[in-house]
Amino acid sequence: MASSPKGPDLFTRLGRTVVEIVDGVFYGAGYFWQVLVGFPDFFRKRADSFRVLVMQLLFTGVEALMIISILALALGAIIIVQGSTLLRSFGQNQLMYSILVVVITRELGPVLTAFVIISRSGTAIATELATMVISNEVQAYIAFGVNPITYLVVPRVIGVVVATFVLSIYFSLFGLLGSWLPASLVTPLSFSDYIEGLLGALKAQDLLISLIKAFVFGAIVAVISTFQGFSVNRSTTEIPTAGIRAVGASVVWVIVSDAIITVLSYLK
């Protein structure tokens, strides 16, 4: 009796997986290089892509202000209410300001801002570009001599990076200043004393780390989302898959880059 054919062995599957990963890394690096090369062309022909940039700034930045405000205020209130109760029992109320600065400015502010942008703009960019690929709009741009990287990708990258940068600053300011209201309800505290305590705990390094994270996170979300949008082939069922891949990859790389920047910031 003839034996049934066997599937690929473990080493074959492992080799294919490694090849796919390496191929994806090189392809992604090449795509990132094409985006960087497209920046000079965008600024030389910015009139053609300026509307795309403005629309991206409005959608990613302005329309997300309400969500960012609610998250920042809620986060500050939780830290104040939980922390003040715990620290008061140890007689360390002054540590509340340092905790607020570290948690909101250095850590959760940039990360939560990036997550909001991933859930809104990341999925929107990936699905929009995927739809354009499926409907042959991208091929039409190429046929008319328009570089899709310069016209479609670069303005979206700039818009997402700028919006992430500004929203992260807004998150920190709104979270720190807005936390005074719940703080005053828990412990009688004047606004001037609250600001003085925050300024005493806030350091230039905290602001610098926050801004670096915001810039890096924005670039990660924008590049991955546009990359996944262009990665589809011909089937319409790939459009939602592109959005899912964009969200998953963006979240992973935001967390990884956050950990790397945080560790590097504490190295002497």
Side-chain angles (χ1 to χ4, degrees), residues 32-42 44 147 149-150 154:
F32 181 67
W33 172 252
Q34 290 297 319
V35 174
L36 294 179
V37 172
F39 272 83
D41 289 338
F42 169 78
R44 282 196 298 266
N147 187 345
I149 298 293
T150 303
V154 174

Side-chain angles (χ1 to χ4, degrees), residues 191-232:
F191 186 71
S192 59
D193 292 339
Y194 179 77
I195 294 299
E196 183 179 353
L198 280 179
L199 293 178
L202 187 63
K203 301 177 182 178
Q205 185 183 17
D206 298 323
L207 297 175
L208 180 61
I209 296 301
S210 177
L211 297 179
I212 291 175
K213 287 184 177 181
F215 179 83
V216 172
F217 295 169
I220 288 174
V221 175
V223 173
I224 289 179
S225 299
T226 55
F227 175 80
Q228 294 297 339
F230 283 133
S231 66
V232 299

Side-chain angles (χ1 to χ4, degrees), residues 52-71:
V52 179
L53 173 60
V54 171
M55 296 301 294
Q56 191 64 57
L57 285 172
L58 290 175
F59 177 74
T60 304
V62 177
E63 295 184 15
L65 282 175
M66 181 60 68
I67 301 176
I68 294 295
S69 301
I70 295 173
L71 285 177

Side-chain angles (χ1 to χ4, degrees), residues 21-250:
I21 293 175
V22 173
D23 183 66
V25 169
F26 278 100
Y27 188 75
Y31 175 79
F32 181 67
W33 172 252
Q34 290 297 319
V35 174
L36 294 179
V37 172
F39 272 83
D41 289 338
F42 169 78
F43 288 107
R44 282 196 298 266
K45 306 173 183 178
R46 59 183 181 272
D48 299 331
S49 306
F50 186 72
R51 190 181 70 86
V52 179
L53 173 60
V54 171
M55 296 301 294
Q56 191 64 57
L57 285 172
L58 290 175
F59 177 74
T60 304
V62 177
E63 295 184 15
L65 282 175
M66 181 60 68
I67 301 176
I68 294 295
S69 301
I70 295 173
L71 285 177
L73 187 60
L75 178 62
I78 292 171
I79 295 173
I80 288 289
V81 173
Q82 296 286 349
S84 60
T85 304
L86 180 63
L87 293 175
R88 190 185 301 114
S89 61
F90 295 99
Q92 299 291 333
N93 289 338
Q94 287 300 320
L95 288 178
M96 177 57 59
Y97 301 109
S98 299
I99 294 175
L100 275 172
V101 169
V102 171
V103 173
I104 292 181
T105 303
R106 293 184 62 137
E107 292 300 329
L108 290 186
V111 171
L112 290 180
T113 300
F115 285 173
V116 170
I117 291 177
I118 289 171
S119 62
R120 297 183 75 256
S121 301
T123 53
I125 290 173
T127 54
E128 181 184 11
L129 292 180
T131 303
M132 296 178 71
V133 172
I134 297 299
S135 61
N136 295 320
E137 289 184 51
V138 175
Q139 288 82 350
Y141 283 124
I142 297 175
F144 281 100
V146 177
N147 187 345
I149 298 293
T150 303
Y151 183 75
L152 299 175
V153 175
V154 174
R156 286 173 169 82
V157 171
I158 295 175
V160 171
V161 170
V162 172
T164 307
F165 193 84
V166 175
L167 286 177
S168 181
I169 297 174
Y170 176 81
F171 190 108
S172 298
L173 290 175
F174 198 85
L176 293 176
L177 298 180
S179 299
W180 170 77
L181 181 59
S184 62
L185 296 176
V186 175
T187 302
L189 182 66
S190 65
F191 186 71
S192 59
D193 292 339
Y194 179 77
I195 294 299
E196 183 179 353
L198 280 179
L199 293 178
L202 187 63
K203 301 177 182 178
Q205 185 183 17
D206 298 323
L207 297 175
L208 180 61
I209 296 301
S210 177
L211 297 179
I212 291 175
K213 287 184 177 181
F215 179 83
V216 172
F217 295 169
I220 288 174
V221 175
V223 173
I224 289 179
S225 299
T226 55
F227 175 80
Q228 294 297 339
F230 283 133
S231 66
V232 299
N233 293 315
R234 288 286 178 258
S235 175
T236 56
T237 57
E238 296 180 82
I239 296 175
T241 305
I244 294 172
R245 289 199 305 264
V247 171
S250 297

